[in-house]
Amino acid sequence: MRFADKVVAITGGGSGIGKETAARFVAEGAKVAINGRDAGKLEATAREIDPSGQKVIISAGDISDPAVGAALVDAAVAKFGKLDILVNNAGVFNPKPFLELTEKDYDWYLDTILKGKFFTAQAAAKAMKEKGGAIVQTGSMWAIQAIGATPSAAYSAANAGVHAMVRNLAIELAPYKIRI
């Protein structure tokens, strides 16, 4: 049980990588708070991962709203007493050629991928400041390499911001023993 007595918050925890990450943390002894936009999907995921209902809680909402990331962190701390790890996994992807992207499309990528990860990491770091912890930011190789077959300019730009943020947070949060 590598994560016994650890508390983990996961954005995008209702499906895919986030769901599997939550399942693995629970299997290794952690208590987990999962976030996603679809409360029904989160509830089903929580029941599947933890039929006892004791190790997984949900916090539904769109991570592009900074209050949603703060609510996820607050829910984990309120239920389990602390936060040790944040897996900032939420993301979106809908390929569209650069010349067809609208401002709304662009904002959707940046708000979800970059802004969501930024403010959720900030809320988590505030909760971890006294005792340390770890923040994992998922990104994309498309942030540093272009893929001609799939148009992804806005997606790539948002993830390039995540990559830059990771480097900066690693420096800024090191004194608090928060690993990025």
Side-chain angles (χ1 to χ4, degrees):
M1 295 292 210
R2 294 181 299 170
F3 293 97
D5 300 319
K6 297 294 182 185
V7 176
V8 183
I10 302 172
T11 66
S15 62
I17 292 169
K19 178 180 177 180
E20 182 62 24
T21 301
R24 289 181 184 225
F25 271 117
V26 169
E28 289 289 340
K31 293 178 179 137
V32 178
I34 56 174
N35 156 268
R37 291 183 300 242
D38 185 333
K41 184 189 279 187
L42 289 173
E43 289 168 2
T45 295
R47 281 191 305 274
E48 179 184 332
I49 292 171
D50 176 31
S52 76
Q54 301 300 308
K55 294 183 178 184
V56 178
I57 61 168
I58 68 166
S59 182
D62 186 337
I63 206 69
S64 68
D65 176 356
V68 171
L72 172 66
V73 169
D74 290 346
V77 172
K79 175 70 175 177
F80 302 124
K82 62 179 180 169
L83 180 66
D84 298 297
I85 301 165
L86 168 67
V87 178
N88 234 345
N89 172 68
V92 292
F93 186 67
N94 184 25
K96 190 186 259 189
F98 174 72
L99 295 176
E100 296 174 20
L101 279 167
T102 66
E103 182 178 1
K104 185 177 178 182
D105 296 326
Y106 178 83
D107 289 345
W108 181 62
Y109 281 110
L110 264 69
D111 287 350
T112 304
I113 295 171
L114 185 54
K115 181 179 169 187
K117 287 182 170 134
F118 183 97
F119 286 104
T120 304
Q122 185 182 64
K126 287 177 181 178
M128 297 174 182
K129 190 175 175 183
E130 299 302 317
K131 295 184 181 181
I135 298 174
V136 177
Q137 308 270 42
T138 59
S140 173
M141 289 303 296
W142 291 9
I144 55 176
Q145 108 186 30
I147 308 295
T150 307
S152 60
Y155 172 83
S156 295
N159 276 292
V162 171
H163 285 229
M165 178 175 48
V166 163
R167 290 188 296 273
N168 282 273
L169 294 184
I171 293 167
E172 284 193 54
L173 298 177
Y176 303 106
K177 294 184 175 51
I178 300 172
R179 293 176 292 116
I180 308 296

